[in-house]
Short mmCIF file of all heavy atoms in Angstrom, two decimals:
data_model
loop_
_atom_site.label_atom_id
_atom_site.label_comp_id
_atom_site.label_asym_id
_atom_site.label_seq_id
_atom_site.Cartn_x
_atom_site.Cartn_y
_atom_site.Cartn_z
N ALA A 97 -52.69 -105.14 25.52
CA ALA A 97 -54.05 -105.63 25.40
C ALA A 97 -54.26 -105.88 23.87
O ALA A 97 -53.63 -105.28 23.02
CB ALA A 97 -55.13 -104.62 25.91
N LYS A 98 -55.15 -106.77 23.56
CA LYS A 98 -55.50 -107.05 22.22
C LYS A 98 -55.99 -105.85 21.44
O LYS A 98 -56.92 -105.12 22.02
CB LYS A 98 -56.47 -108.35 22.03
CG LYS A 98 -55.81 -109.50 22.42
CD LYS A 98 -56.74 -110.71 22.10
CE LYS A 98 -56.19 -112.05 22.43
NZ LYS A 98 -54.90 -112.36 21.71
N VAL A 99 -55.59 -105.54 20.29
CA VAL A 99 -56.03 -104.43 19.58
C VAL A 99 -56.78 -104.79 18.31
O VAL A 99 -56.73 -105.93 17.91
CB VAL A 99 -54.73 -103.48 19.04
CG1 VAL A 99 -54.07 -102.96 20.22
CG2 VAL A 99 -53.90 -104.32 18.16
N ALA A 100 -57.63 -103.85 17.86
CA ALA A 100 -58.52 -104.25 16.66
C ALA A 100 -57.57 -104.59 15.50
O ALA A 100 -56.44 -104.00 15.36
CB ALA A 100 -59.45 -103.09 16.40
N LYS A 101 -58.14 -105.33 14.54
CA LYS A 101 -57.29 -105.63 13.43
C LYS A 101 -56.95 -104.59 12.61
O LYS A 101 -55.89 -104.54 11.84
CB LYS A 101 -58.12 -106.75 12.57
CG LYS A 101 -58.27 -108.14 13.28
CD LYS A 101 -59.01 -109.15 12.46
CE LYS A 101 -59.26 -110.44 13.16
NZ LYS A 101 -59.93 -111.43 12.23
N ASP A 102 -57.77 -103.50 12.46
CA ASP A 102 -57.52 -102.35 11.69
C ASP A 102 -56.85 -101.27 12.45
O ASP A 102 -56.63 -100.11 11.95
CB ASP A 102 -58.76 -101.85 11.04
CG ASP A 102 -59.86 -101.44 12.08
OD1 ASP A 102 -59.66 -101.80 13.22
OD2 ASP A 102 -60.83 -100.79 11.73
N ALA A 103 -56.33 -101.51 13.65
CA ALA A 103 -55.79 -100.46 14.45
C ALA A 103 -54.37 -100.20 14.01
O ALA A 103 -53.71 -101.08 13.33
CB ALA A 103 -55.66 -100.96 15.97
N LYS A 104 -53.81 -99.04 14.18
CA LYS A 104 -52.50 -98.70 13.82
C LYS A 104 -51.53 -99.52 14.66
O LYS A 104 -51.74 -99.87 15.77
CB LYS A 104 -52.16 -97.27 14.03
CG LYS A 104 -53.09 -96.24 13.19
CD LYS A 104 -52.80 -96.48 11.76
CE LYS A 104 -53.67 -95.41 10.90
NZ LYS A 104 -53.36 -95.58 9.54
N ARG A 105 -50.35 -99.84 14.10
CA ARG A 105 -49.38 -100.62 14.73
C ARG A 105 -48.73 -99.84 15.91
O ARG A 105 -48.50 -98.70 16.00
CB ARG A 105 -48.18 -100.84 13.66
CG ARG A 105 -48.59 -101.82 12.64
CD ARG A 105 -47.59 -101.89 11.52
NE ARG A 105 -47.49 -100.59 10.81
CZ ARG A 105 -48.23 -100.14 9.81
NH1 ARG A 105 -49.14 -100.93 9.38
NH2 ARG A 105 -48.05 -98.95 9.30
N VAL A 106 -48.54 -100.60 17.07
CA VAL A 106 -48.23 -100.18 18.34
C VAL A 106 -46.87 -99.48 18.35
O VAL A 106 -46.70 -98.30 18.97
CB VAL A 106 -48.36 -101.16 19.40
CG1 VAL A 106 -47.86 -100.67 20.76
CG2 VAL A 106 -49.76 -101.76 19.53
N LEU A 107 -45.91 -100.09 17.59
CA LEU A 107 -44.54 -99.59 17.72
C LEU A 107 -44.30 -98.53 16.68
O LEU A 107 -43.20 -98.02 16.69
CB LEU A 107 -43.55 -100.75 17.50
CG LEU A 107 -43.50 -101.86 18.60
CD1 LEU A 107 -42.57 -102.89 18.34
CD2 LEU A 107 -43.36 -101.22 20.02
N ASP A 108 -45.18 -98.23 15.76
CA ASP A 108 -45.05 -97.15 14.82
C ASP A 108 -45.63 -95.95 15.56
O ASP A 108 -46.84 -95.62 15.49
CB ASP A 108 -45.76 -97.36 13.50
CG ASP A 108 -45.04 -98.37 12.68
OD1 ASP A 108 -43.94 -98.67 13.01
OD2 ASP A 108 -45.60 -98.93 11.59
N LYS A 109 -44.71 -95.05 16.15
CA LYS A 109 -45.15 -93.98 17.02
C LYS A 109 -45.24 -92.66 16.28
O LYS A 109 -45.88 -91.70 16.80
CB LYS A 109 -44.29 -93.96 18.25
CG LYS A 109 -44.32 -95.22 19.03
CD LYS A 109 -43.31 -95.21 20.22
CE LYS A 109 -43.34 -96.44 20.97
NZ LYS A 109 -42.49 -96.47 22.03
N LEU A 110 -44.41 -92.38 15.20
CA LEU A 110 -44.45 -91.15 14.53
C LEU A 110 -45.66 -90.89 13.66
O LEU A 110 -46.22 -91.98 13.07
CB LEU A 110 -43.18 -91.13 13.63
CG LEU A 110 -41.76 -91.14 14.35
CD1 LEU A 110 -40.72 -91.06 13.40
CD2 LEU A 110 -41.71 -89.87 15.35
N LYS A 111 -46.13 -89.80 13.53
CA LYS A 111 -47.28 -89.46 12.70
C LYS A 111 -47.06 -89.84 11.22
O LYS A 111 -47.93 -90.49 10.58
CB LYS A 111 -47.65 -87.99 12.75
CG LYS A 111 -48.89 -87.60 11.93
CD LYS A 111 -49.26 -86.13 12.16
CE LYS A 111 -50.39 -85.81 11.21
NZ LYS A 111 -50.62 -84.24 11.36
N VAL A 112 -45.83 -89.60 10.79
CA VAL A 112 -45.61 -89.94 9.37
C VAL A 112 -45.53 -91.50 9.06
O VAL A 112 -45.86 -91.98 8.03
CB VAL A 112 -44.22 -89.31 8.91
CG1 VAL A 112 -43.05 -89.92 9.80
CG2 VAL A 112 -43.94 -89.47 7.43
N GLU A 113 -45.09 -92.19 10.12
CA GLU A 113 -45.25 -93.73 10.12
C GLU A 113 -46.65 -94.19 10.03
O GLU A 113 -46.93 -95.11 9.15
CB GLU A 113 -44.54 -94.29 11.27
CG GLU A 113 -42.99 -94.13 11.30
CD GLU A 113 -42.37 -94.70 12.57
OE1 GLU A 113 -43.00 -94.69 13.57
OE2 GLU A 113 -41.34 -95.28 12.49
N LYS A 114 -47.55 -93.59 10.81
CA LYS A 114 -48.91 -93.98 10.69
C LYS A 114 -49.60 -93.65 9.43
O LYS A 114 -50.38 -94.38 8.94
CB LYS A 114 -49.56 -93.37 11.90
CG LYS A 114 -49.10 -93.96 13.29
CD LYS A 114 -49.84 -93.23 14.42
CE LYS A 114 -49.32 -93.81 15.74
NZ LYS A 114 -49.96 -93.09 16.95
N GLU A 115 -49.24 -92.50 8.85
CA GLU A 115 -49.88 -91.98 7.67
C GLU A 115 -49.38 -92.86 6.38
O GLU A 115 -50.18 -93.20 5.56
CB GLU A 115 -49.64 -90.56 7.41
CG GLU A 115 -50.31 -89.62 8.39
CD GLU A 115 -49.96 -88.16 8.11
OE1 GLU A 115 -49.13 -87.83 7.31
OE2 GLU A 115 -50.62 -87.28 8.73
N ARG A 116 -48.11 -93.05 6.36
CA ARG A 116 -47.54 -93.81 5.20
C ARG A 116 -47.57 -95.20 5.35
O ARG A 116 -47.31 -96.01 4.34
CB ARG A 116 -46.09 -93.30 5.05
CG ARG A 116 -45.90 -91.85 4.56
CD ARG A 116 -44.39 -91.45 4.51
NE ARG A 116 -44.25 -90.08 4.05
CZ ARG A 116 -43.75 -89.89 2.78
NH1 ARG A 116 -43.41 -90.87 2.00
NH2 ARG A 116 -43.51 -88.63 2.27
N GLY A 117 -47.80 -95.75 6.55
CA GLY A 117 -47.82 -97.21 6.73
C GLY A 117 -46.42 -97.81 6.64
O GLY A 117 -46.31 -99.01 6.29
N ILE A 118 -45.38 -97.09 7.07
CA ILE A 118 -44.02 -97.63 6.91
C ILE A 118 -43.33 -97.28 8.29
O ILE A 118 -43.78 -96.42 9.11
CB ILE A 118 -43.15 -96.93 5.85
CG1 ILE A 118 -43.02 -95.46 6.10
CG2 ILE A 118 -43.79 -97.30 4.49
CD1 ILE A 118 -42.16 -94.79 5.11
N THR A 119 -42.23 -98.10 8.52
CA THR A 119 -41.45 -97.93 9.84
C THR A 119 -40.25 -96.96 9.45
O THR A 119 -39.47 -97.41 8.45
CB THR A 119 -41.07 -99.19 10.43
OG1 THR A 119 -42.21 -100.01 10.72
CG2 THR A 119 -40.30 -98.96 11.71
N VAL A 120 -40.11 -95.97 10.09
CA VAL A 120 -39.00 -95.00 9.75
C VAL A 120 -37.82 -95.13 10.79
O VAL A 120 -36.68 -95.11 10.43
CB VAL A 120 -39.52 -93.51 9.77
CG1 VAL A 120 -38.28 -92.55 9.67
CG2 VAL A 120 -40.47 -93.31 8.67
N LYS A 121 -38.20 -95.38 11.99
CA LYS A 121 -37.15 -95.52 13.12
C LYS A 121 -37.41 -96.84 13.79
O LYS A 121 -38.49 -97.19 14.10
CB LYS A 121 -37.16 -94.30 14.10
CG LYS A 121 -36.19 -94.30 15.19
CD LYS A 121 -36.23 -93.12 16.01
CE LYS A 121 -35.26 -93.13 17.18
NZ LYS A 121 -33.83 -93.33 16.66
N ALA A 122 -36.25 -97.51 14.07
CA ALA A 122 -36.38 -98.74 14.93
C ALA A 122 -36.93 -98.53 16.25
O ALA A 122 -36.55 -97.56 16.95
CB ALA A 122 -34.94 -99.39 14.93
N GLN A 123 -37.83 -99.44 16.68
CA GLN A 123 -38.54 -99.31 17.93
C GLN A 123 -38.21 -100.55 18.75
O GLN A 123 -38.11 -101.66 18.13
CB GLN A 123 -39.96 -99.04 17.83
CG GLN A 123 -40.33 -97.76 17.06
CD GLN A 123 -39.97 -96.49 17.88
OE1 GLN A 123 -39.74 -96.56 19.03
NE2 GLN A 123 -39.98 -95.27 17.24
N THR A 124 -38.14 -100.45 20.10
CA THR A 124 -37.89 -101.61 20.89
C THR A 124 -39.05 -101.96 21.91
O THR A 124 -39.77 -100.96 22.26
CB THR A 124 -36.53 -101.36 21.68
OG1 THR A 124 -36.74 -100.21 22.52
CG2 THR A 124 -35.40 -101.15 20.65
N ALA A 125 -39.10 -103.08 22.31
CA ALA A 125 -40.04 -103.47 23.36
C ALA A 125 -39.58 -104.72 23.93
O ALA A 125 -38.97 -105.64 23.27
CB ALA A 125 -41.40 -103.69 22.77
N SER A 126 -39.94 -104.97 25.26
CA SER A 126 -39.55 -106.11 25.94
C SER A 126 -40.69 -106.94 26.44
O SER A 126 -41.74 -106.34 26.77
CB SER A 126 -38.61 -105.74 27.22
OG SER A 126 -37.44 -105.18 26.79
N MET A 127 -40.61 -108.20 26.42
CA MET A 127 -41.74 -109.12 26.81
C MET A 127 -41.20 -110.22 27.75
O MET A 127 -40.10 -110.60 27.67
CB MET A 127 -42.31 -109.78 25.53
CG MET A 127 -42.69 -108.80 24.45
SD MET A 127 -43.07 -109.67 22.88
CE MET A 127 -41.35 -109.91 22.29
N PHE A 128 -42.16 -110.60 28.65
CA PHE A 128 -41.97 -111.71 29.49
C PHE A 128 -42.66 -112.90 28.81
O PHE A 128 -43.85 -112.98 28.54
CB PHE A 128 -42.53 -111.60 30.87
CG PHE A 128 -41.69 -110.48 31.69
CD1 PHE A 128 -42.29 -109.25 31.85
CD2 PHE A 128 -40.44 -110.68 32.18
CE1 PHE A 128 -41.59 -108.20 32.45
CE2 PHE A 128 -39.67 -109.69 32.81
CZ PHE A 128 -40.31 -108.42 33.04
N TYR A 129 -41.92 -114.03 28.58
CA TYR A 129 -42.48 -115.21 27.93
C TYR A 129 -42.20 -116.49 28.75
O TYR A 129 -41.08 -116.67 29.11
CB TYR A 129 -41.82 -115.32 26.50
CG TYR A 129 -42.21 -116.67 25.86
CD1 TYR A 129 -43.51 -116.84 25.38
CD2 TYR A 129 -41.12 -117.64 25.64
CE1 TYR A 129 -43.78 -118.08 24.73
CE2 TYR A 129 -41.55 -118.84 25.07
CZ TYR A 129 -42.78 -119.08 24.57
OH TYR A 129 -43.08 -120.27 23.93
N THR A 130 -43.22 -117.25 28.91
CA THR A 130 -43.09 -118.54 29.77
C THR A 130 -43.00 -119.52 28.74
O THR A 130 -43.95 -119.89 28.06
CB THR A 130 -44.26 -118.76 30.66
OG1 THR A 130 -44.25 -117.60 31.59
CG2 THR A 130 -44.06 -119.93 31.50
#
Side-chain angles (χ1 to χ4, degrees):
K98 291 189 179 296
V99 297
K101 292 182 179 179
D102 57 347
K104 297 294 183 182
R105 293 169 293 274
V106 174
L107 296 182
D108 286 347
K109 300 178 181 179
L110 297 178
K111 182 180 179 181
V112 66
E113 291 179 322
K114 296 177 180 179
E115 290 180 352
R116 292 174 175 254
I118 61 174
T119 301
V120 171
K121 183 174 176 58
Q123 299 290 344
T124 61
S126 296
M127 304 167 281
F128 294 105
Y129 170 70
T130 302

